[in-house]
Amino acid sequence: DELFPSKLHMILSAQEYAHIIAWKPHGRAWFVLDKALFTSTVLPRYFNHGNFESFNRSVNGWGFKRLVREGQDENAYYH
């Protein structure tokens, strides 16, 4: 079974999901573009659930931080 960071990297590397979740252009952070599609399409395939809150707890548990200040990286995650 893959660990969370490996699964997240696979998702971010999959071109088929680039319209749902993607790296920021500088490559140091990522963000969810379409939460509804992410929870209905990506989460069930990789995590066997469709619960964004559960995914977010895993993101936080693995040490990712969400950028909350205004700007081009607002609401993106970094590690």
Side-chain angles (χ1 to χ4, degrees):
D1 218 12
E2 298 282 338
L3 292 177
F4 180 84
S6 297
K7 289 182 181 182
L8 180 59
H9 190 266
M10 284 191 296
I11 294 166
L12 285 163
S13 299
Q15 217 30 52
E16 66 189 289
Y17 302 130
H19 64 291
I20 301 172
I21 182 173
W23 291 104
K24 297 300 277 183
H26 51 61
R28 295 184 306 271
W30 55 271
F31 65 115
V32 176
L33 290 95
D34 189 324
K35 186 176 172 181
L37 268 178
F38 185 72
T39 57
S40 67
T41 306
V42 180
L43 287 182
R45 180 171 177 189
Y46 287 88
F47 299 103
N48 299 319
H49 66 76
N51 187 324
F52 189 82
E53 288 73 24
S54 177
F55 172 79
N56 202 47
R57 281 191 297 276
S58 294
V59 167
N60 293 330
W62 279 93
F64 289 88
K65 304 292 182 201
R66 187 168 62 96
L67 299 164
V68 293
R69 64 179 173 267
E70 288 186 30
Q72 67 178 13
D73 292 340
E74 184 176 10
N75 293 323
Y77 294 87
Y78 73 99
H79 196 275

